[in-house]
Amino acid sequence: MKKSNFYLGLIAALILMSVSVSAEKKPKNVIVMIGDGMGLAQMYSAMTANNNHLQLERCTYTGFSKTYSSDHYTTDSGAGGTAIACGVKTKNGMIGMTPDSVKIESILELSERNQLSTGIVVTCAVTHATPASFIAHQVNRDMYEEIATDFLKTDIDVFIGGGLKYFNNRKDQVNLVEKLKNKNYQVAYSLDEALNVKSGKLAGLFYEDHCPAMPKRGDMLPKSVMAAIDILDNNKKGFFLMVEGSQIDWAAHDNDKKQIVKEMLDFDETIGKVLDFAQRNGNTLVIITADHETGGMTILNGKFGSDDMDAYFSTKNHSGVPVPIYAFGPGAEQFTGIMENTAFKGKIEKLLDFKK
Ligand code: MG
Ligand code: ZN
């Protein structure tokens, strides 16, 4: 072999190696899981009740997210969700907009524009603040019917939760369910109906308003999330999915420690199933975090295996403390340290090599 050929070969091998090394570090799919109101104490109450173990522990990368909004030390879920989804701090109550009411493209919409499949699965009405932040642009989170209309302006592939009445029983008499069908959505009114859908577009609106609390909801969340992944994973280019454990927050507003454990364990079971998929798949980044802490919860004493712990709350509302981030899969190392809640979008965008 000529010496020049040897060096050419060596250079080619080095280039191939560096390509494969960097390819290993980039995810194809991203799943963002938001435990609404899930601070450290909410997480630890479930870990305590579940005999000192959670699926969440499989995430080897952890960090903290600073949750304050543009106008309040303590955020609401509108500004908190908007920060995660759109990468901007906005005023409490606003959805997918800057404080000056300028619409900002969310990471879900950006994923869609870059030909990824997209989805949302939640345990509240799909029009509620957290899911709305990923798809809608409204000055006020209470504009549920306007937010429902915003779903039709996107090409989201799968959305599952409650909130049917905001689509088919509206002040303006417009039937958005019919419009969804015209846009080739398969509309499912129950989990069983949704589980029959294996490809194409799916709108799962299982309840008139929010889904019931645990345990009445059963395994709606884990099963719906896996059904969504099954459909979204048909796209070779990848997918972006947002999953919310919506009702951890509501149990914490009620200062109901046992209900917090129930909602947390439902979310954690879902996390386990998602991590199983990510592990099998190998190209999936899973980021788990919260929009804020709720209840100012603390635990002074407890017994592993029991949900009857010495838990206290300092408020019936949200608190301003940072919330944990847990990450798994290629790119997970990007979500460590202490970061602003506005940093998620840019980091995901970069990992997925999106065009602006
Ligand atoms: Mg929420
Ligand atoms: Zn709340």
Side-chain angles (χ1 to χ4, degrees), residues 59-204:
C59 297
T60 43
Y61 290 93
T62 55
F64 287 102
S65 166
K66 294 193 271 183
T67 64
Y68 66 92
S69 67
S70 77
D71 65 340
H72 282 83
Y73 184 82
T74 301
T75 190
D76 83 311
S77 291
T82 298
I84 297 169
C86 304
V88 295
K89 298 262 185 193
T90 196
K91 289 185 198 164
N92 280 9
M94 291 180 86
I95 299 291
M97 287 181 161
T98 67
D100 312 320
S101 308
V102 177
K103 296 178 187 180
I104 303 289
E105 188 177 45
S106 75
I107 186 66
L108 186 147
E109 293 168 309
L110 186 59
S111 301
E112 204 175 272
R113 195 151 61 73
N114 281 269
Q115 276 103 48
L116 270 67
S117 292
T118 55
I120 285 177
V121 182
V122 297
T123 58
C124 54
V126 297
T127 49
H128 205 245
T130 311
S133 300
F134 285 79
I135 205 149
H137 307 277
Q138 299 292 343
V139 290
N140 192 320
R141 57 180 285 175
D142 296 333
M143 298 162 74
Y144 295 129
E145 295 187 357
E146 289 80 356
I147 289 167
T149 306
D150 279 353
F151 272 80
L152 276 295
K153 294 178 187 160
T154 73
D155 271 313
I156 185 169
D157 296 276
V158 177
F159 59 98
I160 300 175
L164 177 63
K165 67 177 183 182
Y166 305 111
F167 288 80
N168 70 358
N169 190 10
R170 300 160 53 88
K171 282 187 222 85
D172 63 9
Q173 308 288 323
V174 177
N175 189 340
L176 292 186
V177 169
E178 288 312 311
K179 293 207 171 203
L180 283 169
K181 287 177 180 166
N182 292 340
K183 278 192 84 176
N184 291 323
Y185 282 90
Q186 302 158 87
V187 179
Y189 300 99
S190 68
L191 177 61
D192 282 343
E193 284 178 32
L195 292 176
N196 286 327
V197 179
K198 302 291 176 198
S199 61
K201 285 173 172 283
L202 168 64

Side-chain angles (χ1 to χ4, degrees), residues 36-37 75-77 128 141 246 248-250 252-253 291-295 316-318:
D36 198 314
T75 190
D76 83 311
S77 291
H128 205 245
R141 57 180 285 175
S246 317
I248 301 162
D249 176 63
W250 303 348
H253 277 287
D291 47 357
H292 53 73
E293 194 274 347
T294 305
K316 291 246 173 193
N317 223 308
H318 302 168

Side-chain angles (χ1 to χ4, degrees), residues 143-292:
M143 298 162 74
Y144 295 129
E145 295 187 357
E146 289 80 356
I147 289 167
T149 306
D150 279 353
F151 272 80
L152 276 295
K153 294 178 187 160
T154 73
D155 271 313
I156 185 169
D157 296 276
V158 177
F159 59 98
I160 300 175
L164 177 63
K165 67 177 183 182
Y166 305 111
F167 288 80
N168 70 358
N169 190 10
R170 300 160 53 88
K171 282 187 222 85
D172 63 9
Q173 308 288 323
V174 177
N175 189 340
L176 292 186
V177 169
E178 288 312 311
K179 293 207 171 203
L180 283 169
K181 287 177 180 166
N182 292 340
K183 278 192 84 176
N184 291 323
Y185 282 90
Q186 302 158 87
V187 179
Y189 300 99
S190 68
L191 177 61
D192 282 343
E193 284 178 32
L195 292 176
N196 286 327
V197 179
K198 302 291 176 198
S199 61
K201 285 173 172 283
L202 168 64
L205 296 165
F206 302 167
Y207 302 94
E208 288 296 317
D209 201 348
H210 302 304
C211 309
M214 287 304 288
K216 207 176 161 206
R217 198 169 65 238
D219 50 11
M220 175 253 165
L221 184 62
K223 282 206 168 142
S224 300
V225 168
M226 294 322 289
I229 289 175
D230 223 31
I231 297 170
L232 298 173
D233 196 32
N234 290 328
N235 184 346
K236 286 196 177 66
K237 289 186 172 159
F239 65 82
F240 175 87
L241 172 65
M242 194 285 286
V243 174
E244 187 195 21
S246 317
Q247 301 198 25
I248 301 162
D249 176 63
W250 303 348
H253 277 287
D254 290 341
N255 291 178
D256 184 342
K257 61 185 180 186
K258 293 194 178 182
Q259 189 58 29
I260 290 172
V261 167
K262 288 191 185 85
E263 292 293 345
M264 269 300 312
L265 289 178
D266 176 56
F267 190 50
D268 189 60
E269 184 191 334
T270 310
I271 289 167
K273 296 220 154 50
V274 167
L275 293 179
D276 288 346
F277 166 80
Q279 215 156 7
R280 280 197 308 273
N281 175 272
N283 295 315
T284 303
L285 167 63
V286 184
I287 304 159
I288 304 154
T289 190
D291 47 357
H292 53 73

